[in-house]
Structure formats: C-alpha cells, structure tokens
Amino acid sequence: MARSNYTFTSESVSEGHPDKVSDRISDEVVDLFYRRAAEVGMDPWDVRCAAETLVTTNRVVIAGEMRGPKGEGEVTTEEIIAAARAAIKDIGYEQSGFHHEHAEITVLLHDQSAHIAQGVDDGTGEHKEEGAGDQGIMFGYASNETEALMPAPLYYSHKILEELAKKRHSGELDQLLPDAKSQVSVVYENGKPVRASSIVLSTQHKGEDQTSADIRAMVEPTIRDVLPDGWITDDTVWHVNPTGTFVIGGPDGDAGLTGRKIIVDTYGGAAPHGGGAFSGKDPTKVDRSAAYVSRYLAKNIVAAGIADWCTIQLSYAIGVAQPQSLYVDTGGQADDAKIEKAIRSLMTLTPRNIREKLDLNKPIYAKTAAYGHFGRTPTDEGHFSWEKTDLVDALKAAMAE
C-alpha cells in the first residue's frame, strides 16, 4: 500500500547553472539547424543533430554529430559560435571568468554516422520504415497535485528560480547573478501536498560583503509569493546561501556538461527516468521525443480524471519504428491494461508519428533548456505541444467502451 503521509524533496537549477548553460547552447544548435533548413527549403524531416557542450572558465566546447543543408546554405562554425555567444549573453554572463564576448568557443561537430543514419532514414537499413534513433527506455508522468499536473516539490522549485530570474533580468533584483539552485521539501498528508518543511536556495550574487541574511531578505518575498498560501509556517526551515558568499559561480566556478540535470528536467525524482538526456538532440532521438509523448499521454490520462497520477514507459530498438513495449501504471486506480489498449488505438507511437503529432520538427528547443521540459504552458507556435490536453475526450470515450 502506498504511503499517504511523508515528506518528499526535489531540486531545480537556474538557467545560469553550468549544466544548464551547456543544455541551452546544445539546444540553440538544434534550433539553428531547423531554422536554416526552413530558410533554404530543406525538408525538416531530414535534419539531424546531437550536440554536446562543455563549459568551464571562459571556455566552451561543442561536439557531436549533425546533418543539415549542404553547399551555400550550410550552417557554418561561425554561426554556431555566434549562437552560443548570444545564448550566454541572454542568460546574463558578463563576468571576467565567463563572458559572452571573451569566452573561447571550439566547435567539433561532424556529419552523422552513415551507420546510424541507415536505421533512422526512411527506406534504408534492415527496416525500411523510419526507425528510432537509438534503443532505450523512456518515461512519462503526471499527477493532479498541481495545476500543471506536475509533482509539487519540483514544480515549486522550478517556479522559485524562474521568478527570481525574471526579476534579475528586469533589474528588480539586480544584485543577483545567473547561477542558482533551489530545493523544496514538501509534507504530504493523506497523499496531498500541504506545506513546505524546508526551503533551500543558493544564488550567485554581486558583492563580497553580502551575507546570507542579506540574500534571504532579498529573495524571501519572491519565494513566499510563489508557494501556495499556508505552505510556509513558523516551522519551515530556511537555508539561503548556507555556505556564505557566492560570487564566483557559473562555468567559472564549476564545469558544466549537457545532460547532467535529467532529473531536474523531468519529475524531480517523483517518477522513473530512462536515463537519456534531452538537450542537444533532434526528435529522431527517442530519448527526447518518446519522453515527450509519454508525458503527453500521462498528462491526458490524469486530465481526463481516469487517475490521480500516471506513469508511462515506452521502449524502442534502434532502427525499428514500433515501440518494443508500452507500460501504464496508475497504482490500481484504473484498468491499466485497458488504458494501454486505448492508447494504442488512439495514437501510433512510431518516432515519425510522434514528431508529426507533437509538431517537433521546428526550432523550439532552446526554450526547453531551463526550468523543466514538463509542466509548462503550450503555445500556438508549438512550444511544449506535449503539454496539451487534446486527447482527453477520446480517452474518456475509449475507457467508457
């Protein structure tokens, strides 16, 4: 039997955290290839990118594989460097140890392996239908404990940093710098989140003379605004910049790599993770696209009222279009086998159909790089299309049969 009274903790990291800087640059590279394809009339279905980024003190290294326009419309090294510098500037890094103008940027991208391409491209390889870009397992999750149908500890950890970043960019909190981490421990009673038992925030700031108390006074009003009424009590434990001064930060303070914050990117540990990172990958890579569709399906199941929470797993083999398995878990709240049957009747879960259904062949990925890939608002431009709940009525009908 599931526990009903417990405390669960999740963390988030800001857009200026070194790993998130790497994720942002990698996703900017993906977007650059999609934008260029649109400009020169290349079929976006043929774009391929798997960009990995390392950042450290005034140094950026971008490596990986790609396929884009050739000849006059080819994406140049100079353009990739310019995209990286623009991303660093947008995040807000203008420090002596990491500056968008002065950082040395090396690009080591190469053409996609022909042996990988033959498994993904239509009409090639042993399976002629477009297959998955790799083998692997992917998970999706949703819970009705927040309006966004996300786990509360992660949702509010993200929101704290997102709001502080908005105020930093606007100048309202101009003493803050880009690197930050948050952590919220949430008390659950009868399975529902009711209050925060502790709040942890470490944020980079200007001025060696700023104390932890100074930083708490600066950020506490925003945190109180973000958390639901009544969640902060006299018993809530606060740790704001608990080690003291935090001026040296970002890639100058610690190296960053693409894909090191996959739990932050997904469900904060409240649900399983398949292990594959998202950022830097085009959607032929099922690490990304199948994780997105798994979230889409889980969210629609919860939004339909079929279950309070839902976990979905998909698995794929490289070069093979159809998933190897589909698993649904609602903890006995509903007929999971019937949900699986309903999903298969409503959606073909091949990589190509996922890309088409969620409209993923677009330059939409840089916006996903910070504050989570899930639980964010979809837009008409296709950003976060996997957050839409347009499958609710069809799922209700299928479950009623």
Side-chain angles (χ1 to χ4, degrees):
M1 180 179 294
R3 294 176 62 191
S4 59
N5 298 315
Y6 56 92
T7 300
F8 195 85
T9 304
S10 295
E11 70 158 348
S12 180
V13 297
S14 72
E15 62 185 332
H17 184 281
D19 294 333
K20 284 287 132 196
V21 176
S22 294
D23 285 344
R24 170 70 179 274
I25 292 171
S26 292
D27 277 333
E28 292 285 1
V29 174
V30 178
D31 286 355
L32 179 59
F33 276 90
Y34 274 111
R35 281 195 298 270
R36 180 55 49 81
E39 290 166 1
V40 304
M42 178 183 176
D43 189 343
W45 291 91
D46 292 332
V47 170
R48 302 286 185 270
C49 187
E52 310 284 352
T53 302
L54 160 72
V55 296
T56 186
T57 303
N58 270 331
R59 189 88 161 95
V60 178
V61 179
I62 305 168
E65 62 172 20
M66 54 77 190
R67 185 170 75 194
K70 296 295 184 182
E72 190 173 334
E74 185 172 355
V75 175
T76 66
T77 296
E78 290 73 21
E79 288 172 318
I80 294 170
I81 290 173
R85 293 197 190 282
I88 296 166
K89 182 178 181 181
D90 185 61
I91 292 167
Y93 276 113
E94 296 185 334
Q95 301 162 24
S96 59
F98 196 70
H99 197 294
H100 60 89
E101 290 181 348
H102 310 310
E104 182 180 348
I105 302 177
T106 302
V107 177
L108 302 173
L109 290 170
H110 58 79
D111 288 340
Q112 184 183 47
S113 161
H115 290 171
I116 293 176
Q118 72 181 354
V120 180
D121 294 344
D122 271 331
T124 62
E126 294 197 8
H127 300 270
K128 300 306 179 185
E129 185 180 2
E130 178 186 305
D134 203 351
Q135 71 175 52
I137 58 174
M138 301 84 205
F139 286 92
Y141 180 76
S143 168
N144 64 7
E145 61 194 68
T146 62
E147 184 178 359
L149 303 187
M150 287 290 288
L154 180 67
Y155 180 76
Y156 291 112
S157 293
H158 282 325
K159 284 296 181 184
I160 288 169
L161 294 182
E162 197 169 11
E163 289 304 311
L164 289 174
K166 288 177 182 176
K167 292 181 178 182
R168 173 175 62 85
H169 284 295
S170 72
E172 183 179 346
L173 292 178
D174 61 357
Q175 291 300 300
L176 298 185
L177 291 172
D179 193 3
K181 299 179 78 171
S182 64
Q183 184 171 285
V184 181
S185 298
V186 176
V187 176
Y188 286 73
E189 294 179 355
N190 298 317
K192 301 296 182 183
V194 295
R195 65 183 179 275
S197 61
S198 72
I199 297 166
V200 181
L201 179 79
S202 295
T203 180
Q204 188 186 17
H205 59 86
K206 299 177 183 176
E208 298 275 354
D209 58 340
Q210 297 272 17
T211 67
S212 297
D214 294 332
I215 301 302
R216 176 172 171 175
M218 197 181 304
V219 302
E220 184 173 338
T222 300
I223 296 173
R224 287 183 175 273
D225 285 344
V226 165
L227 293 180
D229 290 342
W231 272 39
I232 297 176
T233 70
D234 291 342
D235 294 326
T236 301
V237 176
W238 291 75
H239 295 289
V240 177
N241 282 23
T243 63
T245 302
F246 182 12
V247 174
I248 300 170
D252 188 30
D254 194 7
L257 291 169
T258 300
R260 278 206 303 201
K261 288 294 178 282
I262 57 177
I263 301 301
V264 170
D265 286 342
T266 52
Y267 307 104
H273 193 297
F278 304 156
S279 289
K281 296 176 181 176
D282 74 76
T284 66
K285 280 72 172 174
V286 283
D287 280 338
R288 183 166 221 160
S289 55
Y292 286 179
V293 82
S294 296
R295 161 64 179 176
Y296 170 72
L297 293 168
K299 184 176 183 180
N300 275 268
I301 289 163
V302 173
I306 296 169
D308 291 339
W309 60 267
C310 178
T311 299
I312 287 180
Q313 185 203 56
L314 289 168
S315 68
Y316 289 85
I318 187 168
V320 180
Q322 292 291 339
Q324 302 301 289
S325 64
L326 164 64
Y327 168 80
V328 174
D329 179 21
T330 62
Q333 301 171 77
D335 186 338
D336 294 340
K338 191 172 183 179
I339 298 173
E340 291 171 10
K341 183 179 178 181
I343 289 171
R344 291 186 184 277
S345 71
L346 294 172
M347 187 169 179
T348 302
L349 294 169
T350 63
R352 187 175 187 88
N353 196 66
I354 293 169
R355 286 199 282 162
E356 186 171 40
K357 171 67 177 177
L358 299 182
D359 199 16
L360 298 181
N361 293 331
K362 286 184 173 182
I364 59 174
Y365 295 106
K367 291 181 181 294
T368 70
Y371 313 117
H373 291 245
F374 307 124
R376 298 170 65 188
T377 305
T379 70
D380 292 338
E381 292 76 31
H383 301 303
F384 309 107
S385 58
W386 47 95
E387 292 298 315
K388 294 180 178 180
T389 52
D390 53 2
L391 208 61
V392 164
D393 290 341
L395 280 166
K396 286 180 177 178
M399 293 300 291
E401 292 178 355

